[in-house]
């Protein structure tokens, strides 16, 4: 375990699963973490503050003021104190409040004040968990950079069977430990990521581009930055913004600009991920004035753009990792392996446009990762933030081997 001395704030909300928070706190103390507990008022209906106070060896807080001592429980100080916050159980109501910034109690105010990683462990009935509003709130919180510890499948308090059981306390502690292990591996690494589309001008008002939103590349950047890596993001035109201070963003437009900027920074990074959807061709001649409509046809002469991944990965150091992306519509694995070999990549991430919910513009993705030994790792359709975590975990495992 990597939790010795880590300051963990446990948030407990009003779910029947709140009884498990006692064991969670006990396990955290057992691995020598420092624990403070913040409860919502509704959580007190399921477990007493006294129980959690004895187990955590700290007073349990639930309001902004302590009426007996007339002291102020400063939510900002609590948010800055913690190395990690884990809200377990996290009810549908709490997820909604955190997703929308509705901080009407101490716990949600601490969440909004936190600068540390926050882990949500949902617990609710199966239909509540799968309701579109809950799914939307989870997606929003994941997009903010929060982490989720998935509920388990089983019999629920309602008598129904399905997803919604709070993850076992041992699982939650293991997830926290894994996070801090990842951070120790990644925190000294430098990661270069390309993302988004490129824009190839035809004239001052028209251009050639593609449907890439940049969401996948940005999610990967956020995942590596949250794990402690120093990230340089070379991005084509997109409306997306970065949130982590470990990310340095470099804006470009054309494939040529992306090539030049990526080439400039390539050698200084331990890992390079080519996630951008770079245009394969650009107009051979760019008109200096707007092209007027004349006749029934307009013929454009196109010329190839630079092969950014192929050119740079061919010059990589022995200790440098490179990851490419392949978006295919037929013979997906065959074509992806060909690209992996041809461009001298260590991994290739395959997307298929034949998979519903994958590819451009979606908030979800379904990937297959293939390594140099042609070992295939297949993943289910999931939010792009979770896909980014899968890619992060593969790289962390590779770094750990080294």
């Amino acid at each position: 375990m990597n939790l010795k001395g880590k300051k963990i704030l446990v948030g407990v909300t009003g779910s029947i699963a709140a009884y498990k928070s006692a064991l969670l706190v006990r396990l955290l103390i057992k691995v020598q973490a420092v624990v403070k507990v913040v409860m919502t008022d509704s959580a007190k209906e399921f477990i007493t503050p006294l129980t959690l106070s004895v187990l955590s060896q700290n007073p349990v807080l639930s309001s902004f003021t302590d009426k007996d001592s007339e002291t102020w429980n400063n939510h900002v100080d609590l948010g800055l104190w913690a190395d990690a916050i884990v809200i377990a159980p996290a009810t549908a109501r709490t997820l909604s409040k955190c997703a929308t910034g509705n901080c009407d109690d101490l716990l949600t105010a601490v969440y909004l004040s936190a600068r540390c990683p926050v882990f949500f462990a949902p617990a609710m009935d199966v239909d509540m968990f799968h309701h579109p509003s809950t799914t939307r709130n989870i997606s929003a919180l994941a997009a903010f950079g929060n982490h989720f510890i998935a509920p388990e499948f089983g019999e629920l308090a309602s008598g129904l069977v399905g997803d919604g059981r709070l993850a076992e306390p041992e699982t939650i502690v293991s997830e926290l430990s894994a996070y801090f292990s990842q951070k120790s591996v990644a925190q000294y690494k430098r990661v270069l990521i390309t993302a988004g589309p490129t824009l190839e001008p035809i004239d001052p008002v028209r251009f050639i581009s593609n449907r890439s939103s940049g969401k996948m590349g940005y999610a990967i950047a956020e995942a590596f930055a949250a794990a402690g890596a120093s990230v340089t993001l070379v991005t084509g035109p997109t409306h997306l913004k970065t949130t982590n201070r470990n990310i340095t963003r470099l804006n470009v437009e054309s494939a040529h600009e992306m090539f030049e900027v990526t080439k400039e920074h390539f050698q200084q990074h331990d890992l390079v991920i080519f996630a951008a959807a770079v245009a394969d061709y650009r107009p051979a001649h760019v008109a200096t004035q707007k092209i007027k409509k004349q006749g029934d046809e307009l013929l454009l002469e196109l010329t190839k753009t630079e092969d950014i991944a192929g050119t740079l990965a061919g010059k990589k150091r022995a200790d440098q990792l490179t990851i490419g992306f392949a978006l295919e519509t037929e013979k997906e694995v065959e074509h992806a392996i060909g690209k992996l070999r041809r461009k001298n990549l260590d991994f290739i991430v395959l997307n298929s446009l034949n998979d519903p919910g994958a590819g451009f513009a979606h908030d979800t993705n379904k990937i297959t990762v293939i390594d140099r030994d042609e070992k295939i790792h297949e993943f289910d359709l999931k939010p792009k933030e979770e896909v980014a975590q899968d890619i992060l975990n593969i790289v962390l495992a590779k770094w750990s081997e080294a």
Side-chain angles (χ1 to χ4, degrees), residues 252-265:
V252 298
E253 284 199 347
S254 68
H256 180 70
E257 290 174 345
M258 182 170 285
F259 173 71
E260 291 296 330
V261 172
T262 306
K263 181 176 68 172
E264 178 184 350
H265 293 271

Side-chain angles (χ1 to χ4, degrees), residues 17-326:
Y19 76 91
K20 289 186 178 181
S21 60
L23 181 54
L24 172 60
V25 171
R26 182 175 176 274
L27 290 174
L28 288 170
I29 293 295
K30 189 174 181 179
V31 297
Q32 301 181 56
V34 182
V35 180
K36 290 185 180 181
V37 178
V38 176
M39 302 178 71
T40 63
D41 286 337
S42 56
K44 297 176 186 177
E45 299 179 18
F46 298 96
I47 187 170
T48 67
L50 178 61
T51 299
L52 296 175
S53 177
V54 171
L55 292 172
S56 68
Q57 304 167 20
N58 273 309
V60 171
L61 306 176
S62 60
S63 61
F64 289 99
T65 58
D66 188 324
K67 296 179 181 178
D68 295 329
S69 62
E70 296 184 350
T71 57
W72 167 251
N73 296 322
N74 193 320
H75 58 283
V76 175
D77 287 347
L78 286 167
L80 295 177
W81 171 84
D83 293 316
I85 295 174
V86 55
I87 301 179
T91 60
R93 180 186 182 190
T94 298
L95 293 175
S96 175
K97 289 164 66 176
C98 291
T100 57
N102 178 13
C103 55
D104 61 354
D105 59 24
L106 181 61
L107 179 58
T108 48
V110 170
Y111 164 71
L112 287 183
S113 302
R115 295 182 181 178
C116 63
V118 180
F119 295 78
F120 289 90
M124 64 197 74
D125 206 71
V126 58
D127 296 311
M128 296 174 68
F129 181 65
H130 289 290
H131 194 278
S133 62
T134 304
T135 302
R136 178 192 62 206
N137 290 331
I138 289 175
S139 295
L141 289 168
F144 296 159
N146 297 293
H147 305 266
F148 278 84
I149 302 173
E152 298 178 357
F153 183 94
E155 186 175 352
L156 305 169
S158 65
L160 297 176
V161 175
D163 298 321
R165 287 170 59 96
L166 177 66
E168 291 302 317
E170 293 85 354
T171 300
I172 296 173
V173 172
S174 178
E175 292 271 359
L176 289 170
S177 179
Y179 170 80
F180 285 106
S181 295
Q182 291 173 0
K183 191 174 181 68
S184 64
V185 173
Q187 64 183 346
Y188 300 112
K189 300 294 186 180
R190 300 189 67 187
V191 180
L192 177 64
I193 301 170
T194 66
T198 62
L199 183 156
E200 312 302 328
I202 297 171
D203 63 19
V205 297
R206 301 180 181 90
F207 57 84
I208 297 171
S209 190
N210 55 59
R211 299 180 186 275
S212 173
S213 64
K215 291 177 180 178
M216 192 69 257
Y218 275 66
I220 295 170
E222 294 287 353
F224 276 90
S230 175
V231 177
T232 302
L233 179 65
V234 182
T235 175
T238 175
H239 69 283
L240 300 176
K241 296 180 180 179
T242 57
T243 60
N244 194 297
R245 66 184 66 187
N246 286 347
I247 300 174
T248 299
R249 175 173 171 165
L250 303 175
N251 297 315
V252 298
E253 284 199 347
S254 68
H256 180 70
E257 290 174 345
M258 182 170 285
F259 173 71
E260 291 296 330
V261 172
T262 306
K263 181 176 68 172
E264 178 184 350
H265 293 271
F266 181 80
Q267 291 296 331
Q268 294 83 45
H269 289 78
D270 304 290
L271 167 68
V272 183
I273 302 178
F274 301 100
V278 182
D280 294 320
Y281 294 90
R282 68 167 66 92
H285 307 284
V286 180
T288 57
Q289 302 294 328
K290 179 183 175 183
I291 299 173
K292 296 297 183 181
K293 185 187 298 184
Q294 295 178 351
D296 296 328
E297 295 180 347
L298 173 65
L299 298 179
L300 285 177
E301 181 184 355
L302 302 178
T303 184
K304 268 191 174 183
T305 59
E306 293 89 343
D307 182 352
I308 300 176
T311 302
L312 298 181
K315 301 175 182 178
K316 74 185 188 72
R317 305 186 312 270
D319 64 339
Q320 201 172 20
L321 292 180
T322 54
I323 300 177
F325 275 67

Side-chain angles (χ1 to χ4, degrees), residues 356-373:
F360 291 155
H362 295 287
D363 292 327
T364 55
N365 204 358
K366 185 176 186 296
I367 66 168
T368 299
V369 180
I370 307 171
D371 63 22
R372 268 186 178 273
D373 298 325

